[in-house]
Amino acid sequence: MRIIVKLLVVLLILAGAGCVGVYLGYRHYAADLPDYHQLVDYQPPTATRVQAGDGRLIAEFAAERRVFVPISLIPKRVRQAFVSAEDQNFYQHGGVDWLAIARAMATNVERVGQDRRPIGASTITQQVTRLFLLNNEVSYVRKIKEAILSYRIEDALSKDRILELYLNEIFLGNRSFGVAAAALNYFNKSLDELTVDEAAFLASLPKAPDRYYRDRFHDAAIARRNYVLGRMAEDGYITTAEAKEAQGRPLTFRDRHAEGQVDADYFVEEVRRELLSVYGESKLYEGGLSIRTTLDPKLQQAAVEALRHGLEAFDRRKGWRGPVAHLEGPANWQDQLAKATLPAGGERWQLAVVLKADGEEAAIGLKDGSQGKLQPADVRWAKRATALTAGDLIMVEPAMSEAKPASKGQKAEEPAPMPGVYALRQIPELQGAVVAMDPRTGRVLAMSGGFSARISAFNRATQANRQPGSAFKPFVYLAALDRGFTPSSLVLDAPFSLEQGPGQEKWRPSNYTDQFYGPTPLRVGIEKSRNVMTVRLAQNIGMPAVVNEAKLFGISDHLAPELSMALGAGETTVLKLTTAYAMLDNGGKRITPTFVDRVQDASGKTIYRHDQRACEGCQLTPGSVAAGADVGAVPDVPDTREQIEDPRTVYQIVNILQGVVDRGTAAALRVLGKTLAGKTGTTNDSQDAWFVGFSPDLVFGVFTGYDQPRSLGDHETGASVAVPIFKEFMETALADKPSLPFRVPPGVRLVRVNPETGRLAEPGDRKAIWEAFIPGTEPKGGEGVLDGGDGGSVWVQATPAAQQQGTQMGTGTGTVY
């Protein structure tokens, strides 16, 4: 009996000592634990998502791909899949599952000596402590701290909050943090679109996140997914039949960046730079912002394609420059080709090796081991410079058949790939940029800053300052219209010279054709892009007026008051000049170009909106609808844009620019059958070629030139290089749009005149057009001619005979007005 009593005393002492030890151990390890209360209001760093104007995701700004989703919006099947896979007793235990730990210990004892990896028994709560408060150090100290924190977290947070933190923070491979990001990156789906087998696959990833999505582990991934489905059936989340049906489905990944991808690298980078300067790096990359941009995916694709095709067409005219490289020998061409990489800019094409070249035929081999041939026209093209030889490494793409128009009783044939036939390609040396804009709002709908962002991230649309050449002339003529000139005013196009300073030769401006045309209406000066009369006009109205116009329209804030600037010798960007033309298109209203419509923070609150106008009735509440509000009424939205120019003179310029398309340097656009206006631009020695044009509701600017300026070549102008790019873009952009006229503002009188003379049209004159005049300025006959010879600006009488003399008419002749 005494022995039993002594034994009980010893046990009580040991138990007490154990309790004291546990308590002291608890005090010791709990003394410096991190504060778990931060998890109550924790918001993880999440990616900023950039969307096109139609809501399509086009980019993310983040070091980690993460999308935070509240637990209430995470579908049950996703929650159930993770609970079954990671912590079957999640809703029953208090933070640590001792039964699971015992089961794991027994299993690991059996695995001793079998060289098999031991299994763990961490609960979801324990994993949350590791993710947020501790680390993955393997030690008993960390396990003790983890257990203590798990119990504390369970006391402080609800099960749903714990699960919410876990599902939004867990790393699931493929740079995916959280289930929402993983659903997008693996299946290109939102969480509510996932099937049960896809949810089970995501739940299988925490054990080996960087393994199961790789091709070589595909069978293991299916096995692991099917295991999770089986566990879900055991836990009663799905039926056995549903589990078997889901286990039989194939596991197919979908790359969301390959499906419906919008080629908008330059646009996205411009958005990133703009937001970075406003919100800073931390908020941009971790703040979970939602950015709705102005990008129109259809127009963006059309703009990118048009620019690429235009640069390629020009480059083809300049000839073949030779292969990418030359293989060492044809014996092992497949191995050599497999190791070769496409040069920057060639990402849309594929590499091939010339196996045999004979006459107008060339056989090629491709990376997949298949063989084909080049189309004969390409072999002939290359032969004109340097003939193709066996072993040449070249870039190709599948050749397309020619489109055939519809014939009687038959449908038109669209271009189609020609089996086994390939087109030879090379990366253009010429660069360029394009911008499409809504003239009413300044929203940039499309932009490309070069042939490929992989060649250079330098955005030629916003960062390259280049001379616009004759594309600047409309603003010289607009300044003249503001000062009493009319579209029919005659300006003398004849030789004259100007002093440039002591010891310098006189400046003698000349036309592109090196000819002179006598008294010429202002309209023709723009339509035919006459240099001499433009300089004469600028001299008359004074360069300060031209400088003011350039500043007013945002083309340049520091244009030098020199006459050469009237011919576009000053520098500007494609974005600035396109915006200026947009303000012509909208009737002289000031707009600011923008790439972003709105910015929302992680909670969905709008923190920036480009359109700041007040709009009563734009957002009806459910209460107002229930009260009988007229939801079909069009809200009265105020027009707060500043009127920077007289809309009447602006319309006169627009009407004249329409003549550039109808009769002038951009007449190639008439085949589109749309209402278009615009102006070509070519700088000295044809170093830069431009065209900026517009329809009533869309403006598109085109620039082309070498990064290190040099001549494009003889006879290369805005009409030959830039206009084809504009044409291809507008053909797509306006394909399903009606051809509407430009808007005529109040206070404009349309009068029929002969555009070549500026005189009132005679009955039956087939060349007559409707010219725009401010009432009281219509031609009445006997108008003078602006002559600005060496002695200054004077007016001479324009008789019909004098107008017929053309180049015979010199400076300073006639009767002074």
Side-chain angles (χ1 to χ4, degrees):
M1 189 66 180
R2 289 181 179 179
I3 295 175
I4 294 174
V5 172
K6 288 181 179 180
L7 201 58
L8 288 173
V9 171
V10 170
L11 289 174
L12 287 172
I13 292 172
L14 289 175
C19 290
V20 172
V22 169
Y23 174 74
L24 292 176
Y26 170 80
R27 290 289 302 270
H28 172 73
Y29 291 115
D32 59 347
L33 289 178
D35 182 13
Y36 59 90
H37 290 95
Q38 61 181 287
L39 300 183
V40 175
D41 299 315
Y42 175 75
Q43 291 294 327
T46 53
T48 287
R49 310 187 80 203
V50 184
Q51 298 168 319
D54 63 356
R56 187 185 310 182
L57 183 67
I58 57 174
E60 289 178 325
F61 301 145
E64 301 173 349
R65 295 178 183 172
R66 189 197 311 273
V67 181
F68 184 85
V69 181
I71 192 67
S72 60
L73 298 180
I74 298 177
K76 273 188 176 182
R77 58 180 168 274
V78 176
R79 288 179 270 165
Q80 293 166 346
F82 276 86
V83 169
S84 287
E86 293 296 306
D87 188 0
Q88 280 180 299
N89 298 320
F90 173 68
Y91 289 105
Q92 285 77 45
H93 64 67
V96 178
D97 190 346
W98 296 107
L99 182 62
I101 291 175
R103 187 166 54 244
M105 291 176 63
T107 302
N108 289 335
V109 169
E110 294 178 1
R111 291 188 172 191
V112 173
Q114 297 181 10
D115 196 25
R116 296 175 64 188
R117 183 179 177 182
I119 64 171
S122 294
T123 63
I124 286 176
T125 311
Q126 288 175 285
Q127 293 184 58
V128 167
T129 64
R130 287 201 299 271
L131 289 169
F132 291 93
L133 304 175
L134 298 174
N135 53 42
N136 287 319
E137 175 193 0
V138 179
S139 69
Y140 77 90
V141 173
R142 195 264 296 166
K143 294 297 291 184
I144 294 172
K145 291 182 176 182
E146 182 183 287
I148 296 171
L149 281 170
S150 295
Y151 280 113
R152 289 182 175 181
I153 289 172
E154 288 275 352
D155 287 337
L157 305 179
S158 68
K159 288 287 186 179
D160 278 351
R161 177 58 176 169
I162 295 170
L163 189 58
E164 179 183 72
L165 292 170
Y166 174 76
L167 293 177
N168 280 288
E169 187 72 16
I170 188 70
F171 177 61
L172 297 172
N174 197 17
R175 291 185 63 205
S176 303
F177 288 81
V179 291
L184 286 170
N185 294 334
Y186 287 109
F187 302 113
N188 194 26
K189 291 183 177 182
S190 60
L191 286 174
D192 59 351
E193 295 175 315
L194 292 176
T195 59
V196 67
D197 54 295
E198 291 167 341
F201 170 77
L202 296 184
S204 74
L205 290 171
K207 291 290 188 286
D210 279 323
R211 174 179 179 179
Y212 288 132
Y213 77 95
R214 301 183 187 280
D215 289 340
R216 65 176 180 273
F217 297 115
H218 194 74
D219 291 342
I222 292 177
R224 175 66 182 167
R225 178 203 67 181
N226 290 349
Y227 164 77
V228 175
L229 287 167
R231 291 287 295 265
M232 291 179 72
E234 288 179 17
D235 295 340
Y237 293 135
I238 58 176
T239 65
T240 302
E242 287 174 330
K244 288 183 177 180
E245 192 274 332
Q247 288 170 342
R249 294 176 191 162
L251 178 58
T252 305
F253 301 134
R254 296 168 61 194
D255 183 359
R256 66 183 171 121
H257 295 288
E259 298 182 22
Q261 179 72 3
V262 180
D263 187 349
D265 292 342
Y266 289 106
F267 187 100
V268 168
E269 177 58 18
E270 193 66 27
V271 170
R272 188 195 68 84
R273 280 199 298 264
E274 183 178 318
L275 296 177
L276 186 63
S277 66
V278 175
Y279 297 109
E281 188 170 327
S282 176
K283 194 165 186 177
L284 178 62
Y285 290 100
E286 299 179 356
L289 301 177
S290 176
I291 314 298
R292 179 62 67 94
T293 70
T294 59
L295 186 81
D296 183 313
K298 176 187 173 184
L299 296 184
Q300 175 67 19
Q301 190 64 29
V304 169
E305 294 291 342
L307 178 61
R308 289 179 65 94
H309 292 162
L311 297 179
E312 289 173 20
F314 173 89
D315 192 67
R316 191 174 181 87
R317 294 200 293 271
K318 300 304 172 184
W320 170 246
R321 294 191 301 276
V324 174
H326 193 84
L327 301 186
E328 296 177 0
N332 60 340
W333 66 266
Q334 282 184 265
D335 293 337
Q336 294 184 69
L337 190 57
K339 297 176 183 177
T341 56
L342 279 164
E347 54 271 10
R348 295 191 178 191
W349 304 323
Q350 53 185 313
L351 285 172
V353 60
V354 177
L355 301 177
K356 181 181 178 182
D358 183 16
E360 293 189 359
E361 294 186 357
I364 61 172
L366 296 105
K367 276 193 174 184
D368 61 3
S370 64
Q371 297 185 19
K373 63 179 181 180
L374 291 180
Q375 51 189 6
D378 286 345
V379 179
R380 291 193 296 270
W381 172 56
K383 194 174 181 179
R384 286 198 290 268
T386 173
L388 294 167
T389 60
D392 282 347
L393 193 64
I394 58 176
M395 289 180 291
V396 299
E397 68 175 345
M400 305 292 287
S401 63
E402 292 186 9
K404 293 183 180 180
S407 57
K408 189 174 182 179
Q410 294 182 337
K411 292 183 179 181
E413 291 185 19
E414 296 292 331
M418 301 168 64
V421 182
Y422 293 84
L424 181 63
R425 294 290 179 256
Q426 69 178 2
I427 299 169
E429 292 182 332
L430 185 72
Q431 280 289 358
V434 292
V435 172
M437 183 180 293
D438 182 337
R440 295 158 299 189
T441 62
R443 298 175 70 247
V444 177
L445 305 174
M447 180 179 70
S448 181
F451 184 77
S452 170
R454 297 191 183 184
I455 296 177
S456 168
F458 181 69
N459 190 340
R460 295 157 191 84
T462 60
Q463 296 175 294
N465 286 290
R466 304 292 286 247
Q467 295 178 344
S470 297
F472 178 72
K473 287 178 182 175
F475 301 93
V476 178
Y477 286 75
L478 179 58
L481 292 172
D482 280 339
R483 285 156 182 80
F485 284 80
T486 77
S488 289
S489 294
L490 299 176
V491 178
L492 186 63
D493 188 351
F496 77 106
S497 59
L498 293 168
E499 295 287 350
Q500 297 191 89
Q504 297 187 47
E505 292 185 3
K506 288 185 176 182
W507 180 44
R508 295 180 173 84
S510 62
N511 294 318
Y512 178 76
T513 61
D514 289 327
Q515 297 182 19
F516 301 92
Y517 300 90
T520 306
L522 257 70
R523 165 180 284 280
V524 177
I526 295 184
E527 289 183 357
K528 302 299 184 182
S529 200
R530 301 279 167 75
N531 292 336
V532 177
M533 60 182 293
T534 302
V535 174
R536 199 184 301 274
L537 190 64
Q539 183 189 40
N540 177 265
I541 63 175
M543 278 305 296
V546 176
V547 170
N548 179 68
E549 214 69 40
K551 187 173 183 179
L552 195 63
F553 280 84
I555 300 170
S556 173
D557 290 333
H558 308 288
L559 191 69
E562 300 170 0
L563 281 174
S564 61
M565 298 298 154
L567 300 181
E571 293 183 339
T572 189
T573 67
V574 184
L575 180 62
K576 288 180 179 179
L577 193 60
T578 303
T579 305
Y581 272 73
M583 288 187 273
L584 294 179
D585 194 4
N586 70 26
K589 299 276 192 177
R590 184 178 301 284
I591 56 173
T592 302
T594 181
F595 298 87
V596 176
D597 277 336
R598 72 167 186 264
V599 178
Q600 294 173 304
D601 63 17
S603 67
K605 179 184 177 183
T606 298
I607 57 177
Y608 167 80
R609 187 161 56 94
H610 172 66
D611 191 341
Q612 297 292 334
R613 293 176 295 171
C615 179
E616 294 184 8
C618 287
Q619 295 179 337
L620 295 174
T621 64
S624 64
V625 174
D630 184 2
V631 296
V634 178
D636 183 15
V637 184
D639 185 353
T640 58
R641 296 173 298 174
E642 177 190 359
Q643 185 73 49
I644 62 172
E645 264 288 6
D646 187 333
R648 300 174 300 173
T649 55
V650 170
Y651 176 74
Q652 288 178 309
I653 285 294
V654 170
N655 194 32
I656 291 172
L657 292 176
Q658 191 174 355
V660 175
V661 174
D662 292 338
R663 292 169 299 280
T665 55
L669 299 175
R670 285 183 300 184
V671 297
L672 295 179
K674 302 291 184 180
T675 302
L676 295 170
K679 183 69 186 77
T680 52
T682 311
T683 61
N684 285 343
D685 299 323
S686 296
Q687 291 191 353
D688 299 319
W690 295 71
F691 185 77
V692 186
F694 49 89
S695 70
D697 298 309
L698 181 63
V699 186
F700 190 60
V702 182
F703 155 77
T704 58
Y706 293 105
D707 283 344
Q708 296 299 321
R710 69 175 192 265
S711 177
L712 302 179
D714 293 340
H715 309 297
E716 296 290 3
T717 65
S720 65
V721 184
V723 167
I725 297 172
F726 179 91
K727 178 183 176 183
E728 181 178 336
F729 172 80
M730 282 297 188
E731 191 169 17
T732 299
L734 303 180
D736 56 350
K737 301 289 191 302
S739 185
L740 301 174
F742 289 108
R743 301 165 184 84
V744 184
V748 170
R749 179 171 295 173
L750 298 176
V751 179
R752 285 176 62 80
V753 302
N754 184 306
E756 295 178 358
T757 66
R759 300 166 67 87
L760 292 173
E762 298 291 339
D765 188 347
R766 294 185 177 181
K767 294 181 179 179
I769 65 169
W770 290 102
E771 189 65 271
F773 295 95
I774 295 174
T777 66
E778 305 92 328
K780 299 177 178 62
E783 279 74 21
V785 181
L786 174 63
D787 171 27
D790 296 341
S793 298
V794 296
W795 287 92
V796 300
Q797 187 175 12
T799 64
Q803 286 184 267
Q804 295 296 322
Q805 291 180 16
T807 57
Q808 302 300 316
M809 191 165 186
T811 60
T813 60
T815 305
V816 177
Y817 253 34

